Amino acid sequence: QQSKGLPKSYIMSTFKHFAKTAVSSDTYPVLKDIMDKYFDRLADDLEAYATHANRKTIEVEDVELLMRRQGFVTDSMPVDVLIEKYLPREYRTLLKPMATSGNKVIPKQRR
Amino acid sequence: MDDEFLHHQRLKAAVHFTVGRFCQEIGRDCQKEFSKMAIAAIAETTFRQCDTFAKDLEAFARHAKRTTVTMEDVKLAARRSTSLSNYITQKSEELTSNNKEQKERKKKQTGKRKSADSLPETEAVGNED
């Protein structure tokens, strides 16, 4: 059975990680439904934000704006802190500029 | 600090007044009354809603690399609720058409003054509306 979306094991393990109590397996259908709806809305919003800035490509700014509207990013909680807190190191290095040998900054700073 | 507080209070009072008027009107239509506490609660909610609304609009304008909030930002803020966004789109269309009419009228008037002697016909048309 080919199903779209994140794999079941990933969703359940993430949910169990953040839930402080035991999670029964019959929560999965509901969770999956919620995740599907979430991603539908996410895509819709990102598209609107990109067209708002006269772009056809969704960029980091759009995602940042979305997270600001969702209330994850606030004045007291910048994106960098969230990246630091929730993303594993290999993804963090892709997003946060870091000085390497030869006085080079990887990746290049956008702003 | 104290001055800012007073300013805040004055803004809140203005919001409260307007909310009271709206509630009266709605109450008359539905033949129900709003308690004073309910009106105060709605006023407070409106006030805080304005805060989040302002922040959102600012973020949207900055996102489109503008410093002025425009109609597009307002539409984007109201996008999630279909009926609300429909209403706002309709209103914005009305506003833009009104603005256009006014501009055209102004143009006509200035044009009329310039060519009042040479073209009396345009003056007659202008007087009609």
Side-chain angles (χ1 to χ4, degrees):
Chain A
Q1 183 198 335
Q2 187 77 34
S3 68
K4 56 171 186 170
L6 293 168
K8 180 178 176 177
S9 59
Y10 182 75
I11 291 178
M12 285 312 273
S13 65
T14 313
F15 189 70
K16 275 175 189 161
H17 174 77
F18 286 106
K20 296 286 187 298
T21 56
V23 180
S24 81
S25 61
D26 59 358
T27 50
Y28 174 71
V30 188
L31 271 179
K32 183 166 170 48
D33 196 35
I34 292 168
M35 291 299 279
D36 286 347
K37 276 180 188 157
Y38 175 74
F39 279 113
D40 279 346
R41 278 182 74 149
L42 190 99
D44 201 35
D45 283 343
L46 286 175
E47 196 188 329
Y49 294 156
T51 43
H52 182 70
N54 294 320
R55 270 188 273 107
K56 279 182 181 173
T57 321
I58 290 161
E59 285 183 13
V60 184
E61 291 148 54
D62 300 317
V63 184
E64 201 179 317
L65 183 68
L66 182 81
M67 289 179 75
R68 190 174 279 278
R69 271 220 107 191
Q70 286 172 342
F72 295 117
V73 178
T74 53
D75 291 338
S76 56
M77 179 61 86
V79 192
D80 290 351
V81 176
L82 287 173
I83 290 172
E84 197 80 32
K85 208 170 165 183
Y86 292 110
L87 289 186
R89 206 174 77 105
E90 62 263 35
Y91 294 128
R92 225 156 57 203
T93 51
L94 291 175
L95 290 166
K96 291 194 75 176
M98 222 164 36
T100 56
S101 66
N103 203 17
K104 277 179 192 161
V105 176
I106 296 172
K108 272 184 196 161
Q109 219 145 8
R110 280 178 225 89
R111 283 156 284 175
Chain B
M1 183 65 199
D2 201 36
D3 207 37
E4 200 176 300
F5 178 73
L6 276 177
H7 188 63
H8 228 71
Q9 290 293 303
R10 211 176 302 153
L11 278 178
K12 263 189 190 174
V15 172
H16 195 144
F17 173 76
T18 317
V19 166
R21 279 293 178 82
F22 274 127
C23 285
Q24 261 181 14
E25 207 171 293
I26 293 162
R28 219 184 303 121
D29 287 349
C30 308
Q31 276 156 12
K32 284 199 178 69
E33 273 187 31
F34 285 83
S35 75
K36 277 184 181 170
M37 292 290 272
I39 292 174
I42 294 170
E44 185 67 31
T45 316
T46 314
F47 198 75
R48 294 197 187 177
Q49 195 88 43
C50 282
D51 193 47
T52 51
F53 203 49
K55 274 180 189 153
D56 280 347
L57 289 179
E58 202 189 323
F60 288 150
R62 203 179 331 120
H63 182 71
K65 298 189 178 60
R66 277 187 269 103
T67 47
T68 321
V69 173
T70 63
M71 203 91 83
E72 293 306 309
D73 300 322
V74 181
K75 275 184 210 164
L76 196 63
R79 204 180 59 92
R80 270 273 72 108
S81 144
T82 325
S83 57
L84 185 63
S85 75
N86 283 346
Y87 180 77
I88 283 181
T89 323
Q90 190 198 323
K91 281 282 167 201
S92 77
E93 271 160 18
E94 273 175 30
L95 267 177
T96 45
S97 69
N98 272 356
N99 273 354
K100 259 186 194 169
E101 266 176 31
Q102 275 183 350
K103 270 183 190 169
E104 270 169 25
R105 212 171 286 165
K106 267 187 188 171
K107 261 187 195 169
K108 261 187 192 171
Q109 276 180 346
T110 49
K112 204 168 64 185
R113 253 175 254 141
K114 275 179 191 167
S115 56
D117 304 320
S118 57
L119 284 168
E121 273 176 47
T122 49
E123 194 176 20
V125 172
N127 278 345
E128 266 175 19
D129 56 34

